[in-house]
């Protein structure tokens, strides 16, 4: 039950994919999610290729199940990372912040499925020509770099725009979000924020606790020129806001934001680090093993589907 097209495409048991979060989504989390029947993803971020290879090998040592690597197209190492992925025959690649089109033929040759992340139907339509196997449509509720369309509005439009399965992301916490996404035509869901609070996630405890403490209005969008990043409000976002109000130049804003994700996720400085998290942070109340998160999502979804009997 609840085996969808994306499960068949990727060879996974449940239609639950873990977001490929830079500095946060390491082998330990990816392997735990894949072991539990979802699709775990290693977030390559700006990491050099040898680190990504190490994470891939660690994941393979932990589990035989399919897993993926998220390639961040603004990384200086994109070409080398793609080569590592090809050499290691990684089953799935998700991509962010750019067009993976030119790499798709090489990746397909070794059997890697390519799933670009998009934040608009326009972008999905453009990227579809290059032969993507599926899409992840990220609504503006999600954490990190976001577009400006909500998940509710985005999903149906991406589903209409492309002829391949769509995975919904942004604002998804549990079975309710999964069922809603399926109703909108999606084939599965991607969760980032809730998986940061997985027991196996190597993000700093302070980062996890900041998410657990957050309420529904505790995230804010920072950014300029149409590039927005959703983070938890803290001293950094206040300083950022006052710079914006003083009319500081873009370079100064950029300097303040540089490297701040690592400061939060690795060093645990949640006052002056960039604590990227989605609006769903308000729903995350505890640290749980990844397998328990997935089981909870699936049992809640099944319960809703069984109970929902509309008279027509
Ligand atoms: O990438 C994200 N979300 C992110 S990235 C990030 S921060 C980071 N910091 C250090 C290292 C690595 C990452 C935090 N959150 N989401 C995926 C996404 N991709 N959203 C939108 C897009 C996108 C944008 C433009 C995809 C394709 C695209 O193509 C433009 C083109 O060239 O056609």
């Amino acid at each position: 039950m609840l085996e969808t097209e994306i499960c068949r495409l990727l060879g996974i048991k449940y239609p639950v994919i873990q977001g490929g979060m830079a500095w946060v989504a390491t082998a330990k989390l990816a392997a735990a999610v894949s072991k539990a029947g979802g699709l775990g993803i290693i977030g390559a971020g700006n990491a050099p290729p040898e680190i990504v290879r190490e994470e891939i090998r660690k994941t393979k040592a932990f589990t035989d199940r399919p897993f993926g690597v998220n390639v961040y197209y603004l990384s200086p190492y994109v070409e080398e990372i793609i080569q590592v992925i090809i050499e290691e025959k990684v089953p799935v690649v998700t991509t962010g912040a750019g067009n993976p089109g030119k790499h798709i033929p090489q990746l397909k040759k070794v059997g890697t499925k390519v799933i670009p992340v998009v934040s608009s139907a326009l972008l999905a339509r453009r990227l579809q020509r290059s032969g993507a196997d599926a899409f992840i449509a990220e609504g503006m509720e999600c954490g990190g770099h976001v577009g400006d369309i909500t998940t509710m509005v985005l999903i149906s439009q991406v589903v209409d725009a492309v002829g391949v399965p769509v995975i919904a992301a942004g604002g998804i916490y549990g079975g309710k979000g999964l069922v809603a996404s399926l109703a909108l035509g999606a084939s599965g869901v991607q969760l980032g924020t809730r998986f940061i609070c997985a027991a196996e996630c190597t993000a700093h405890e302070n980062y996890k606790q900041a998410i657990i403490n957050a309420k529904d209005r505790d995230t804010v969008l920072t950014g300029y020129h149409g590039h927005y990043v959703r983070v938890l409000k803290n001293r950094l976002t206040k300083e950022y806001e006052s710079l914006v109000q003083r009319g500081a130049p873009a370079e100064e804003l950029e300097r303040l934001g540089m490297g701040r994700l690592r400061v939060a996720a690795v060093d645990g400085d949640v006052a002056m680090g960039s604590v990227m998290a989605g609006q769903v942070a308000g729903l995350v109340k505890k640290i749980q093993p990844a397998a328990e998160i997935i089981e909870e999502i699936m049992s809640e979804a099944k319960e809703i589907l069984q109970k929902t009997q509309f008279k027509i």
Side-chain angles (χ1 to χ4, degrees):
M1 194 194 164
L2 266 181
E3 194 200 72
T4 67
E5 223 180 321
I6 203 75
C7 298
R8 292 185 283 276
L9 179 73
L10 305 180
I12 55 177
K13 193 166 171 202
Y14 302 122
V16 178
I17 286 128
Q18 167 240 313
M21 303 161 284
W23 293 112
V24 168
T26 58
K28 199 172 168 205
L29 177 62
V33 171
S34 287
K35 240 184 181 161
L39 187 79
I41 307 267
I42 299 162
N46 284 319
E50 55 276 22
I51 298 286
V52 178
R53 193 191 298 276
E54 238 174 74
E55 292 300 304
I56 292 169
R57 292 195 173 163
K58 274 193 221 164
T59 309
K60 285 178 178 171
F62 282 134
T63 181
D64 292 333
R65 298 258 177 100
F67 67 95
V69 173
N70 176 266
V71 180
Y72 178 62
Y73 267 73
L74 294 176
S75 158
Y77 305 112
V78 171
E79 295 299 331
E80 293 100 311
I81 287 172
I82 293 290
Q83 284 320 306
V84 167
I85 287 168
I86 290 169
E87 284 161 23
E88 296 290 333
K89 296 192 171 54
V90 173
V92 184
V93 163
T94 64
T95 68
N99 186 345
K102 67 172 174 174
H103 296 128
I104 292 183
Q106 299 163 259
L107 289 164
K108 282 206 158 166
K109 225 185 239 168
V110 293
T112 301
K113 301 278 187 280
V114 185
I115 311 183
V117 175
V118 294
S119 49
S120 76
L122 195 73
L123 192 53
R125 219 173 269 124
R126 202 163 77 222
L127 300 193
Q128 206 208 2
R129 291 187 209 122
S130 50
D133 294 286
F135 283 93
I136 296 168
E138 279 187 1
M140 68 175 293
E141 296 92 322
C142 73
H145 285 281
V146 298
D148 49 12
I149 307 173
T150 61
T151 302
M152 175 79 101
V153 173
L154 179 66
I155 303 310
S156 314
Q157 293 188 74
V158 174
V159 168
D160 287 348
V162 299
V164 291
V166 174
I167 296 153
I172 297 165
Y173 171 79
K176 296 187 192 85
L178 171 57
V179 173
S181 301
L182 297 177
L184 292 169
S187 189
V189 288
Q190 176 188 266
L191 284 77
T193 305
R194 190 171 182 191
F195 279 123
I196 299 176
C197 292
E200 297 87 348
C201 177
T202 49
H204 198 283
E205 285 307 309
N206 294 352
Y207 198 116
K208 297 183 180 188
Q209 208 50 53
I211 290 174
I212 289 168
N213 294 344
K215 292 177 203 63
D216 55 355
R217 299 193 65 233
D218 285 346
T219 73
V220 67
L221 287 179
T222 62
Y224 48 88
H225 296 332
H227 295 286
Y228 294 104
V229 180
R230 185 178 298 286
V231 291
L232 293 185
K233 291 176 189 170
N234 61 4
R235 206 161 85 221
L236 176 71
T237 64
K238 278 202 193 93
E239 283 187 18
Y240 188 93
E241 193 50 45
S242 64
L243 279 182
V244 171
Q245 247 147 40
R246 271 190 274 131
E251 303 79 61
E252 199 175 334
L253 295 175
E254 209 163 298
R255 245 193 330 270
L256 184 64
M258 283 259 264
R260 295 287 172 168
L261 176 57
R262 184 183 198 283
V263 169
V266 181
D267 306 341
D269 183 351
V270 293
M272 284 307 287
S274 180
V275 189
M276 294 185 186
Q279 289 185 322
V280 86
L283 285 168
V284 180
K285 296 281 178 270
K286 58 180 182 222
I287 292 170
Q288 292 175 285
E292 195 178 295
I293 293 175
I294 294 178
E295 277 156 28
E296 239 179 64
I297 297 170
M298 296 314 298
S299 62
E300 191 186 14
K302 282 172 195 167
E303 201 180 316
I304 296 166
L305 288 171
Q306 275 158 7
K307 271 195 202 151
T308 312
Q309 296 282 341
F310 293 110
K311 288 211 169 66
I312 46 169

PDB file of all heavy atoms in Angstrom, residues 11-37:
ATOM      1  N   GLY A  11      13.222   2.212  -6.748  1.00  0.00           N
ATOM      2  CA  GLY A  11      13.434   0.949  -6.041  1.00  0.00           C
ATOM      3  C   GLY A  11      13.388   1.113  -4.533  1.00  0.00           C
ATOM      4  O   GLY A  11      14.142   0.463  -3.800  1.00  0.00           O
ATOM      5  N   ILE A  12      12.510   1.998  -4.054  1.00  0.00           N
ATOM      6  CA  ILE A  12      12.375   2.223  -2.609  1.00  0.00           C
ATOM      7  C   ILE A  12      11.002   1.756  -2.133  1.00  0.00           C
ATOM      8  O   ILE A  12      10.074   1.616  -2.926  1.00  0.00           O
ATOM      9  CB  ILE A  12      12.616   3.712  -2.223  1.00  0.00           C
ATOM     10  CG1 ILE A  12      11.682   4.648  -3.011  1.00  0.00           C
ATOM     11  CG2 ILE A  12      14.082   4.082  -2.451  1.00  0.00           C
ATOM     12  CD1 ILE A  12      11.803   6.119  -2.650  1.00  0.00           C
ATOM     13  N   LYS A  13      10.897   1.517  -0.813  1.00  0.00           N
ATOM     14  CA  LYS A  13       9.660   0.959  -0.265  1.00  0.00           C
ATOM     15  C   LYS A  13       8.605   2.049  -0.040  1.00  0.00           C
ATOM     16  O   LYS A  13       7.422   1.846  -0.301  1.00  0.00           O
ATOM     17  CB  LYS A  13      10.019   0.278   1.061  1.00  0.00           C
ATOM     18  CG  LYS A  13       8.943  -0.608   1.617  1.00  0.00           C
ATOM     19  CD  LYS A  13       9.507  -1.480   2.727  1.00  0.00           C
ATOM     20  CE  LYS A  13       8.404  -2.228   3.450  1.00  0.00           C
ATOM     21  NZ  LYS A  13       8.827  -2.642   4.789  1.00  0.00           N
ATOM     22  N   TYR A  14       9.030   3.178   0.481  1.00  0.00           N
ATOM     23  CA  TYR A  14       8.091   4.265   0.820  1.00  0.00           C
ATOM     24  C   TYR A  14       8.405   5.531   0.022  1.00  0.00           C
ATOM     25  O   TYR A  14       9.589   5.821  -0.227  1.00  0.00           O
ATOM     26  CB  TYR A  14       8.191   4.593   2.315  1.00  0.00           C
ATOM     27  CG  TYR A  14       7.921   3.425   3.216  1.00  0.00           C
ATOM     28  CD1 TYR A  14       8.867   3.008   4.140  1.00  0.00           C
ATOM     29  CD2 TYR A  14       6.715   2.726   3.128  1.00  0.00           C
ATOM     30  CE1 TYR A  14       8.637   1.926   4.968  1.00  0.00           C
ATOM     31  CE2 TYR A  14       6.474   1.635   3.957  1.00  0.00           C
ATOM     32  CZ  TYR A  14       7.430   1.241   4.874  1.00  0.00           C
ATOM     33  OH  TYR A  14       7.199   0.160   5.680  1.00  0.00           O
ATOM     34  N   PRO A  15       7.383   6.315  -0.331  1.00  0.00           N
ATOM     35  CA  PRO A  15       7.623   7.506  -1.159  1.00  0.00           C
ATOM     36  C   PRO A  15       8.117   8.705  -0.342  1.00  0.00           C
ATOM     37  O   PRO A  15       7.553   9.803  -0.412  1.00  0.00           O
ATOM     38  CB  PRO A  15       6.240   7.775  -1.780  1.00  0.00           C
ATOM     39  CG  PRO A  15       5.265   7.268  -0.770  1.00  0.00           C
ATOM     40  CD  PRO A  15       5.934   6.111  -0.071  1.00  0.00           C
ATOM     41  N   VAL A  16       9.152   8.480   0.444  1.00  0.00           N
ATOM     42  CA  VAL A  16       9.676   9.511   1.350  1.00  0.00           C
ATOM     43  C   VAL A  16      11.162   9.722   1.050  1.00  0.00           C
ATOM     44  O   VAL A  16      11.959   8.782   1.167  1.00  0.00           O
ATOM     45  CB  VAL A  16       9.476   9.117   2.831  1.00  0.00           C
ATOM     46  CG1 VAL A  16      10.079  10.166   3.759  1.00  0.00           C
ATOM     47  CG2 VAL A  16       7.997   8.915   3.142  1.00  0.00           C
ATOM     48  N   ILE A  17      11.489  10.943   0.682  1.00  0.00           N
ATOM     49  CA  ILE A  17      12.872  11.273   0.306  1.00  0.00           C
ATOM     50  C   ILE A  17      13.402  12.295   1.304  1.00  0.00           C
ATOM     51  O   ILE A  17      12.663  13.190   1.740  1.00  0.00           O
ATOM     52  CB  ILE A  17      12.884  11.791  -1.151  1.00  0.00           C
ATOM     53  CG1 ILE A  17      12.679  10.587  -2.068  1.00  0.00           C
ATOM     54  CG2 ILE A  17      14.191  12.479  -1.527  1.00  0.00           C
ATOM     55  CD1 ILE A  17      11.625  10.737  -3.041  1.00  0.00           C
ATOM     56  N   GLN A  18      14.665  12.137   1.650  1.00  0.00           N
ATOM     57  CA  GLN A  18      15.269  13.061   2.620  1.00  0.00           C
ATOM     58  C   GLN A  18      15.996  14.161   1.851  1.00  0.00           C
ATOM     59  O   GLN A  18      16.691  13.885   0.866  1.00  0.00           O
ATOM     60  CB  GLN A  18      16.220  12.248   3.502  1.00  0.00           C
ATOM     61  CG  GLN A  18      17.172  13.026   4.358  1.00  0.00           C
ATOM     62  CD  GLN A  18      18.598  12.675   4.014  1.00  0.00           C
ATOM     63  OE1 GLN A  18      18.934  11.495   3.905  1.00  0.00           O
ATOM     64  NE2 GLN A  18      19.433  13.677   3.824  1.00  0.00           N
ATOM     65  N   GLY A  19      15.807  15.404   2.259  1.00  0.00           N
ATOM     66  CA  GLY A  19      16.445  16.532   1.580  1.00  0.00           C
ATOM     67  C   GLY A  19      17.965  16.436   1.637  1.00  0.00           C
ATOM     68  O   GLY A  19      18.527  15.976   2.631  1.00  0.00           O
ATOM     69  N   GLY A  20      18.618  16.890   0.576  1.00  0.00           N
ATOM     70  CA  GLY A  20      20.081  16.807   0.493  1.00  0.00           C
ATOM     71  C   GLY A  20      20.756  18.044   1.047  1.00  0.00           C
ATOM     72  O   GLY A  20      21.334  18.840   0.323  1.00  0.00           O
ATOM     73  N   MET A  21      20.695  18.201   2.350  1.00  0.00           N
ATOM     74  CA  MET A  21      21.115  19.449   2.994  1.00  0.00           C
ATOM     75  C   MET A  21      22.629  19.522   3.218  1.00  0.00           C
ATOM     76  O   MET A  21      23.212  18.645   3.871  1.00  0.00           O
ATOM     77  CB  MET A  21      20.381  19.578   4.327  1.00  0.00           C
ATOM     78  CG  MET A  21      18.861  19.544   4.150  1.00  0.00           C
ATOM     79  SD  MET A  21      17.972  19.143   5.662  1.00  0.00           S
ATOM     80  CE  MET A  21      18.228  17.385   5.810  1.00  0.00           C
ATOM     81  N   ALA A  22      23.241  20.596   2.679  1.00  0.00           N
ATOM     82  CA  ALA A  22      24.682  20.792   2.827  1.00  0.00           C
ATOM     83  C   ALA A  22      25.046  20.894   4.307  1.00  0.00           C
ATOM     84  O   ALA A  22      24.295  21.479   5.098  1.00  0.00           O
ATOM     85  CB  ALA A  22      25.101  22.079   2.111  1.00  0.00           C
ATOM     86  N   TRP A  23      26.158  20.302   4.708  1.00  0.00           N
ATOM     87  CA  TRP A  23      26.683  20.306   6.081  1.00  0.00           C
ATOM     88  C   TRP A  23      25.827  19.508   7.059  1.00  0.00           C
ATOM     89  O   TRP A  23      26.161  19.387   8.226  1.00  0.00           O
ATOM     90  CB  TRP A  23      26.843  21.730   6.645  1.00  0.00           C
ATOM     91  CG  TRP A  23      27.886  22.536   5.957  1.00  0.00           C
ATOM     92  CD1 TRP A  23      27.668  23.642   5.167  1.00  0.00           C
ATOM     93  CD2 TRP A  23      29.301  22.333   5.977  1.00  0.00           C
ATOM     94  NE1 TRP A  23      28.864  24.113   4.684  1.00  0.00           N
ATOM     95  CE2 TRP A  23      29.884  23.340   5.176  1.00  0.00           C
ATOM     96  CE3 TRP A  23      30.137  21.388   6.591  1.00  0.00           C
ATOM     97  CZ2 TRP A  23      31.264  23.430   4.976  1.00  0.00           C
ATOM     98  CZ3 TRP A  23      31.503  21.488   6.385  1.00  0.00           C
ATOM     99  CH2 TRP A  23      32.052  22.498   5.597  1.00  0.00           C
ATOM    100  N   VAL A  24      24.704  19.005   6.637  1.00  0.00           N
ATOM    101  CA  VAL A  24      23.740  18.367   7.543  1.00  0.00           C
ATOM    102  C   VAL A  24      23.471  16.922   7.120  1.00  0.00           C
ATOM    103  O   VAL A  24      23.411  16.026   7.961  1.00  0.00           O
ATOM    104  CB  VAL A  24      22.416  19.181   7.563  1.00  0.00           C
ATOM    105  CG1 VAL A  24      21.305  18.414   8.248  1.00  0.00           C
ATOM    106  CG2 VAL A  24      22.616  20.541   8.223  1.00  0.00           C
ATOM    107  N   ALA A  25      23.317  16.718   5.814  1.00  0.00           N
ATOM    108  CA  ALA A  25      22.930  15.390   5.315  1.00  0.00           C
ATOM    109  C   ALA A  25      24.184  14.590   4.973  1.00  0.00           C
ATOM    110  O   ALA A  25      24.677  14.616   3.848  1.00  0.00           O
ATOM    111  CB  ALA A  25      22.024  15.530   4.099  1.00  0.00           C
ATOM    112  N   THR A  26      24.707  13.885   5.970  1.00  0.00           N
ATOM    113  CA  THR A  26      25.918  13.074   5.776  1.00  0.00           C
ATOM    114  C   THR A  26      25.517  11.605   5.608  1.00  0.00           C
ATOM    115  O   THR A  26      24.334  11.260   5.678  1.00  0.00           O
ATOM    116  CB  THR A  26      26.866  13.240   6.985  1.00  0.00           C
ATOM    117  OG1 THR A  26      26.151  12.850   8.155  1.00  0.00           O
ATOM    118  CG2 THR A  26      27.336  14.675   7.141  1.00  0.00           C
ATOM    119  N   ALA A  27      26.539  10.745   5.443  1.00  0.00           N
ATOM    120  CA  ALA A  27      26.306   9.322   5.204  1.00  0.00           C
ATOM    121  C   ALA A  27      25.435   8.684   6.294  1.00  0.00           C
ATOM    122  O   ALA A  27      24.582   7.852   6.017  1.00  0.00           O
ATOM    123  CB  ALA A  27      27.643   8.595   5.113  1.00  0.00           C
ATOM    124  N   LYS A  28      25.655   9.090   7.528  1.00  0.00           N
ATOM    125  CA  LYS A  28      24.955   8.458   8.651  1.00  0.00           C
ATOM    126  C   LYS A  28      23.436   8.640   8.531  1.00  0.00           C
ATOM    127  O   LYS A  28      22.658   7.699   8.716  1.00  0.00           O
ATOM    128  CB  LYS A  28      25.471   9.066   9.963  1.00  0.00           C
ATOM    129  CG  LYS A  28      25.180   8.220  11.153  1.00  0.00           C
ATOM    130  CD  LYS A  28      25.853   8.741  12.396  1.00  0.00           C
ATOM    131  CE  LYS A  28      25.298   8.019  13.605  1.00  0.00           C
ATOM    132  NZ  LYS A  28      25.425   8.794  14.828  1.00  0.00           N
ATOM    133  N   LEU A  29      23.027   9.870   8.194  1.00  0.00           N
ATOM    134  CA  LEU A  29      21.599  10.140   8.035  1.00  0.00           C
ATOM    135  C   LEU A  29      21.074   9.470   6.765  1.00  0.00           C
ATOM    136  O   LEU A  29      20.030   8.799   6.789  1.00  0.00           O
ATOM    137  CB  LEU A  29      21.343  11.656   7.973  1.00  0.00           C
ATOM    138  CG  LEU A  29      19.887  12.071   7.729  1.00  0.00           C
ATOM    139  CD1 LEU A  29      18.976  11.603   8.867  1.00  0.00           C
ATOM    140  CD2 LEU A  29      19.766  13.583   7.557  1.00  0.00           C
ATOM    141  N   ALA A  30      21.798   9.637   5.660  1.00  0.00           N
ATOM    142  CA  ALA A  30      21.343   9.075   4.379  1.00  0.00           C
ATOM    143  C   ALA A  30      21.142   7.565   4.498  1.00  0.00           C
ATOM    144  O   ALA A  30      20.120   7.024   4.057  1.00  0.00           O
ATOM    145  CB  ALA A  30      22.344   9.407   3.281  1.00  0.00           C
ATOM    146  N   ALA A  31      22.105   6.881   5.129  1.00  0.00           N
ATOM    147  CA  ALA A  31      22.016   5.426   5.252  1.00  0.00           C
ATOM    148  C   ALA A  31      20.837   5.030   6.136  1.00  0.00           C
ATOM    149  O   ALA A  31      20.123   4.060   5.834  1.00  0.00           O
ATOM    150  CB  ALA A  31      23.315   4.877   5.826  1.00  0.00           C
ATOM    151  N   ALA A  32      20.606   5.777   7.212  1.00  0.00           N
ATOM    152  CA  ALA A  32      19.490   5.450   8.121  1.00  0.00           C
ATOM    153  C   ALA A  32      18.155   5.584   7.397  1.00  0.00           C
ATOM    154  O   ALA A  32      17.252   4.745   7.564  1.00  0.00           O
ATOM    155  CB  ALA A  32      19.537   6.361   9.348  1.00  0.00           C
ATOM    156  N   VAL A  33      18.020   6.636   6.587  1.00  0.00           N
ATOM    157  CA  VAL A  33      16.761   6.851   5.860  1.00  0.00           C
ATOM    158  C   VAL A  33      16.570   5.745   4.820  1.00  0.00           C
ATOM    159  O   VAL A  33      15.477   5.176   4.693  1.00  0.00           O
ATOM    160  CB  VAL A  33      16.731   8.269   5.208  1.00  0.00           C
ATOM    161  CG1 VAL A  33      15.540   8.424   4.283  1.00  0.00           C
ATOM    162  CG2 VAL A  33      16.725   9.356   6.283  1.00  0.00           C
ATOM    163  N   SER A  34      17.628   5.428   4.088  1.00  0.00           N
ATOM    164  CA  SER A  34      17.519   4.378   3.060  1.00  0.00           C
ATOM    165  C   SER A  34      17.225   3.016   3.695  1.00  0.00           C
ATOM    166  O   SER A  34      16.397   2.255   3.200  1.00  0.00           O
ATOM    167  CB  SER A  34      18.792   4.309   2.222  1.00  0.00           C
ATOM    168  OG  SER A  34      18.850   5.423   1.352  1.00  0.00           O
ATOM    169  N   LYS A  35      17.892   2.732   4.808  1.00  0.00           N
ATOM    170  CA  LYS A  35      17.675   1.469   5.522  1.00  0.00           C
ATOM    171  C   LYS A  35      16.222   1.327   5.950  1.00  0.00           C
ATOM    172  O   LYS A  35      15.661   0.236   5.969  1.00  0.00           O
ATOM    173  CB  LYS A  35      18.562   1.451   6.769  1.00  0.00           C
ATOM    174  CG  LYS A  35      19.549   0.322   6.798  1.00  0.00           C
ATOM    175  CD  LYS A  35      20.318   0.332   8.100  1.00  0.00           C
ATOM    176  CE  LYS A  35      21.314  -0.790   8.089  1.00  0.00           C
ATOM    177  NZ  LYS A  35      22.368  -0.606   9.059  1.00  0.00           N
ATOM    178  N   ALA A  36      15.609   2.463   6.283  1.00  0.00           N
ATOM    179  CA  ALA A  36      14.227   2.461   6.763  1.00  0.00           C
ATOM    180  C   ALA A  36      13.215   2.415   5.619  1.00  0.00           C
ATOM    181  O   ALA A  36      12.010   2.432   5.848  1.00  0.00           O
ATOM    182  CB  ALA A  36      13.989   3.696   7.635  1.00  0.00           C
ATOM    183  N   GLY A  37      13.683   2.382   4.377  1.00  0.00           N
ATOM    184  CA  GLY A  37      12.761   2.234   3.247  1.00  0.00           C
ATOM    185  C   GLY A  37      12.497   3.504   2.467  1.00  0.00           C
ATOM    186  O   GLY A  37      11.776   3.494   1.467  1.00  0.00           O
TER     187      GLY A  37
END
